[in-house]
Amino acid sequence: MNGLRATDDVERPTRNVQRKRRVWMVMRRGCWGLALALAAVTIPCQPLNRLAAQPPQRSYICYRTPAPITIDGRLDDPAWRAAPWSERFVDILGDTAPAPPLETRVKLLWDDDYLYVAAELEEPHVWSALTERDATIYQDDDFEIFIDPDGDTHQYYEIEINALGTIWDLFLVKPYRDGGRAISAWDIRNLRSAVDVDGSVNDPSDRDDGWTVEFAIPWQPLVEIQAGKHPPRDGERWRVNFSRVDWDVAIEDGRYRKTVDPSTGRVHEEHNWVWSPQGAVNMHMPEMWGVVQFSDTIAGSALVELTEDPDARIRWVLREVYYAERRFFRQHRRYTDEPARLGIAPDAEALGRVLAIAVTPTQFEARLPSSNDAGTWRIRQDGRVWLEPLRAAPR
């Protein structure tokens, strides 16, 4: 779902202003490889003025499968029966919107070669129209997967599928809000997928129960673009989310047709239901995705607890600086190193860290030491957040 909001802030607007912008943004040309020569200003931490903590995000333990999964869409492998279901999907806005009337949930498994994804979508009227690979699949009812292996919000992947099994797989250099673009010509080599329909597709004469989806996503295409990245290891976390697009349809002349708003003459907006809420009608805010923690434990053999991420709070403070700097830039056409002018500053008591902000008229970088002082977390004007390890002192 490649929707864009009218603004790129993360305040939660009311439903009536949630209009999706189907806009392909062109990546701005720039010398991204040039080093920033910025004079850093260190600033003691003060309490946050808004969003003192990151909004709740869902998590899932991805257990190992003892044997490869048969990809037929039926979800009847013994390993699937042992794997836990996720929570039910919610509206993309979260608790501020009504709960979806139809149930959607997912399961995950993994082995040395693949990430396995299973989804179950309740649906009384299963329909699809698109059959060409890399068509705009969210124009049908669909199921979508979003994966950011290193969690820096750049270089991530999107996979969409409809009830006919048609695939759209994309690679995104960075989010649209940051001048990114989608590369539809990129395909996941050796991707395997299947759909099973409990009912019939495109037959309005019956009532269906829904459809199930199964994926085997090979690791190699997911990590080869990520510098220094590798398939997951025990205990490692990846940022992931899942989305379902659902259109209101009516039966006309024996066919399914999208319903039209008589006041505008346009097709009604689609519903967007997700695993981990985004807080905005925009899936391309990777910082809002959920967390998948990989475990070497075989599914069904034992339960594994989610481990604490000691740097989550630090990264969120930097993300708040990013949001505030973008607002400031829209108003003043420059960035600032003064938290008072941003209207935001980190909580010193909670962090025990000193924020450093460096700016030029067109760029900024904010920095905070990691929780164990082994490195420094950084975020810049294009939204990328990363950990720079502490270099050992020369002997």
Side-chain angles (χ1 to χ4, degrees):
M1 186 271 291
N2 291 280
L4 297 178
R5 292 185 57 203
T7 68
D8 48 20
D9 294 335
V10 294
E11 289 85 353
R12 305 176 193 278
T14 56
R15 190 71 175 187
N16 66 339
V17 297
Q18 291 301 320
R19 303 290 295 176
K20 191 173 295 183
R21 270 54 176 175
R22 303 292 191 190
V23 179
W24 289 103
M25 296 182 67
V26 179
M27 184 185 301
R28 297 182 182 91
R29 297 184 181 274
C31 300
W32 304 113
L34 294 179
L36 295 177
L38 305 177
V41 178
T42 58
I43 306 155
C45 296
Q46 299 296 328
L48 285 171
N49 289 332
R50 55 185 290 276
L51 284 181
Q54 186 172 17
Q57 294 173 311
R58 286 178 164 178
S59 58
Y60 185 92
I61 302 296
C62 183
Y63 295 97
R64 270 193 171 266
T65 174
I69 300 293
T70 300
I71 304 301
D72 55 14
R74 296 191 179 93
L75 317 188
D76 53 3
D77 286 72
W80 279 136
R81 291 196 290 271
W85 282 110
S86 73
E87 307 93 331
R88 285 185 60 145
F89 282 26
V90 298
D91 189 273
I92 193 169
L93 294 178
D95 294 339
T96 62
L102 301 175
E103 183 177 61
T104 313
R105 53 185 185 167
V106 295
K107 290 185 176 189
L108 304 175
L109 289 166
W110 71 299
D111 60 21
D112 289 342
D113 300 311
Y114 295 97
L115 170 65
Y116 300 99
V117 178
E120 181 180 75
L121 299 85
E122 181 186 13
E123 177 56 64
H125 301 290
V126 179
W127 68 275
S128 282
L130 299 170
T131 58
E132 182 180 354
R133 186 177 179 124
D134 291 340
T136 309
I137 300 301
Y138 62 76
Q139 292 296 335
D140 287 349
D141 286 359
D142 79 352
F143 172 74
E144 305 174 355
I145 304 170
F146 297 82
I147 303 173
D148 181 6
D150 60 9
D152 70 349
T153 76
H154 283 205
Q155 295 186 329
Y156 60 90
Y157 311 93
E158 177 180 354
I159 309 169
E160 303 185 7
I161 190 169
N162 65 11
L164 293 174
T166 309
I167 293 289
W168 185 16
D169 47 356
L170 313 130
F171 172 71
L172 291 104
V173 177
K174 53 186 173 181
Y176 301 113
R177 67 184 178 194
D178 299 307
R181 64 186 180 92
I183 303 175
S184 292
W186 175 83
D187 290 334
I188 300 179
R189 298 187 308 275
N190 302 317
L191 174 70
R192 293 188 287 138
S193 62
V195 170
D196 186 65
V197 178
D198 191 354
S200 57
V201 182
N202 297 327
D203 183 0
S205 66
D206 65 1
R207 186 175 180 85
D208 310 311
D209 288 324
W211 49 299
T212 51
V213 178
E214 204 170 17
F215 279 97
I217 306 172
W219 295 120
Q220 189 55 38
L222 296 185
V223 301
E224 64 187 5
I225 301 176
Q226 306 276 339
K229 198 58 183 169
H230 51 76
R233 298 165 181 164
D234 182 55
E236 188 171 343
R237 298 159 168 255
W238 285 23
R239 299 304 296 270
V240 176
N241 213 349
F242 305 97
S243 173
R244 173 183 178 178
V245 169
D246 188 87
W247 296 87
D248 291 329
V249 295
I251 300 172
E252 299 178 7
D253 301 324
R255 299 178 59 186
Y256 290 121
R257 298 186 186 278
K258 295 177 183 176
T259 60
V260 173
D261 183 345
S263 66
T264 64
R266 298 177 180 175
V267 170
H268 281 112
E269 290 285 319
E270 75 276 26
H271 304 286
N272 296 286
W273 303 328
V274 302
W275 170 52
S276 193
Q278 294 286 113
V281 185
N282 183 356
M283 286 303 298
H284 295 276
M285 298 164 60
E287 67 273 15
M288 304 299 289
W289 296 352
V291 173
V292 170
Q293 178 177 308
F294 295 91
S295 173
D296 278 337
T297 302
I298 298 298
S301 65
L303 292 178
V304 174
E305 296 292 330
L306 187 76
T307 58
E308 181 183 359
D309 181 356
D311 286 347
R313 169 70 176 140
I314 292 171
R315 289 195 303 275
W316 184 249
V317 166
L318 291 177
R319 183 60 57 180
E320 283 286 286
V321 173
Y322 161 85
Y323 296 143
E325 288 280 11
R326 289 180 70 90
R327 289 192 297 273
F328 188 88
F329 189 88
R330 283 199 302 273
Q331 296 172 5
H332 304 283
R333 309 313 301 171
R334 64 182 180 87
Y335 297 111
T336 180
D337 55 22
E338 301 177 53
R341 302 202 67 185
L342 291 174
I344 184 173
D347 184 341
E349 183 177 349
L351 289 174
R353 294 289 181 269
V354 174
L355 171 69
I357 301 179
V359 301
T360 71
T362 59
Q363 297 173 306
F364 83 86
E365 184 178 280
R367 303 188 293 274
L368 277 171
S370 64
S371 58
N372 59 4
D373 293 318
T376 300
W377 284 100
R378 299 171 179 259
I379 197 167
R380 64 193 186 196
Q381 73 284 337
D382 66 357
R384 182 173 179 253
V385 58
W386 75 100
L387 179 66
E388 183 173 298
L390 187 66
R391 293 181 176 89
R395 297 183 178 180

